[in-house]
């Protein structure tokens, strides 16, 4: 039989022999757990990033919207020398209905004009002179500058002020003209020149994005009687209405005379402002060059 002391010693030796294996096993097991935990953590983080990127990819993109303006109503102008009928011209410039002279323009779809002159020469009894000019200016809508109607309205007001600012004008009167485009104003005055006393009528009209300026004057020369201003106003206003209709007809007749634009102030309001005297293109043309020739 083994003694207890010997058994104890043997048992201790066996336990010491088995202990390093256990420690090694534990040492190996611990890194494996840490590695597994680390992989598990990285995997979870990657899934979150993947989901976030996927969500961002599928989110709808917000596109910036460029500013837009309403397209201009009228795209072209009528022939400037054909804007008035022969009948109307005969009442305005009876001796020069066929004398229309087209103004120079680099783009007749945007800017056009025509002028006529008439001299009814009665020799020593004097002569009746008439001069007519019709100019048209069309404005396109522009994202930077604004709608064509509004641009035309601004120019319309400028034309009225220019007509009011003629140097030497006497008995100046400004009044609205009804039933002619979106807005229309008549400026009338007397102008004394060396050839005689002229009666000037300027009708400025806006129809949609087009501005029409009609200048008409008359004078009695060489002692002839000065024409009636009221009679000249009547035919000038009728001609302005016809010019408005011609612009609409040149564009297929759409909106003829309606003037359905964004700018519709009262003509009398815009015309009531007087400008300081300065030279103007609206002034009556001198008859000296044409009065010497018989029609």
């Amino acid at each position: 039989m083994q003694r207890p002391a010997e058994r104890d010693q043997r048992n201790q030796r066996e336990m010491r022999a088995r202990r390093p294996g256990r420690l090694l096993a534990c040492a190996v097991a611990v890194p494996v757990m840490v590695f597994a935990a680390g992989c598990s953590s990285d995997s979870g983080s990657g899934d979150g990033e993947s989901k976030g990127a996927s969500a961002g990819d599928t989110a709808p993109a917000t596109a910036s919207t460029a500013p837009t303006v309403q397209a201009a109503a009228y795209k072209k102008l009528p022939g400037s020398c054909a804007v008035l009928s022969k009948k109307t011209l005969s009442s305005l410039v009876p001796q020069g209905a066929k004398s229309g002279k087209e103004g120079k323009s680099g783009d007749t779809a945007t800017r056009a004009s025509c002028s006529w002159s008439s001299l009814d020469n009665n020799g020593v009894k004097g002569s009746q002179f008439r001069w007519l000019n019709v100019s048209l200016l069309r404005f396109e809508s522009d994202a930077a500058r604004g709608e064509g109607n509004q641009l035309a309205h601004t120019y319309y007001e400028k034309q009225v002020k220019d007509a009011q600012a003629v140097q030497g004008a006497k008995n100046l009167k400004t009044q609205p003209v009804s039933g002619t485009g979106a807005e229309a104003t008549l400026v009338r005055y007397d102008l004394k020149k060396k050839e005689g006393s002229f009666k000037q009528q300027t009708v400025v009209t806006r129809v949609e994005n087009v501005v029409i300026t009609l200048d008409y004057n008359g004078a009695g020369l060489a002692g002839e009687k000065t024409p009636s201003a009221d009679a000249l106003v009547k035919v000038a206003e009728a001609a302005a209405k016809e010019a408005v209709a011609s612009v609409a007809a040149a564009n297929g007749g759409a909106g003829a005379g309606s003037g359905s634009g964004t700018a519709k102030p009262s003509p009398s309001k815009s015309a009531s402002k007087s400008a300081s005297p300065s030279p103007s293109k609206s002034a009556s043309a001198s008859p000296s060059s044409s009065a010497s020739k018989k029609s």
Side-chain angles (χ1 to χ4, degrees), residues 137-148:
L137 191 62
R138 185 181 65 84
F139 293 85
E140 281 286 1
S141 294
D142 183 270
R145 299 173 61 208
E147 294 185 1

Side-chain angles (χ1 to χ4, degrees), residues 46-210:
D47 289 345
E49 292 176 358
S50 177
K51 290 179 181 178
S54 177
D57 291 343
T58 56
T62 302
S64 59
T65 304
T68 59
V69 293
Q70 183 177 354
Y74 293 138
K75 299 299 182 184
K76 58 183 179 178
L77 297 175
S80 58
C81 291
V83 71
L84 299 175
S85 67
K86 291 181 179 180
K87 180 180 180 181
T88 299
L89 289 172
S90 295
S91 64
L92 291 160
V93 283
Q95 302 300 320
K98 298 180 180 180
S99 67
K101 183 179 180 180
E102 186 174 357
K104 294 181 180 180
S105 173
D107 181 7
T108 55
T110 301
R111 181 188 299 270
S113 66
C114 191
S115 60
W116 298 260
S117 62
S118 171
L119 179 66
D120 184 5
N121 194 336
N122 295 312
V124 294
K125 295 181 179 180
S127 305
Q128 285 290 334
F129 175 78
R130 302 287 186 272
W131 181 80
L132 169 69
N133 185 82
V134 179
S135 64
L136 306 97
L137 191 62
R138 185 181 65 84
F139 293 85
E140 281 286 1
S141 294
D142 183 270
R145 299 173 61 208
E147 294 185 1
N149 284 13
Q150 185 60 49
L151 295 172
H153 167 68
T154 301
Y155 181 73
Y156 161 84
E157 289 192 322
K158 179 182 181 299
Q159 288 293 88
V160 172
K161 289 180 180 179
D162 286 349
Q164 293 171 325
V166 175
Q167 189 172 6
K170 302 294 184 182
N171 302 320
L172 177 67
K173 296 180 181 179
T174 303
Q175 61 194 63
V177 179
S178 61
T180 305
E183 48 190 337
T185 299
L186 166 70
V187 180
R188 54 189 289 188
Y189 54 83
D190 299 336
L191 192 63
K192 186 72 174 179
K193 304 188 74 172
K194 64 179 182 179
E195 295 88 354
S197 180
F198 287 78
K199 299 291 184 180
Q200 172 72 32
Q201 284 66 232
T202 299
V203 183
V204 184
T205 305
R206 180 184 71 84
V207 52
E208 301 287 3
N209 57 310
V210 176

Side-chain angles (χ1 to χ4, degrees), residues 249-288:
N251 290 271
S258 63
S260 56
T262 56
K264 290 186 178 181
S266 168
S268 57
K269 180 179 179 181
S270 61
S272 62
K273 301 176 183 178
S274 297
S276 58
S278 61
S280 168
K281 294 180 181 180
S282 303
S284 57
S286 172
S288 56

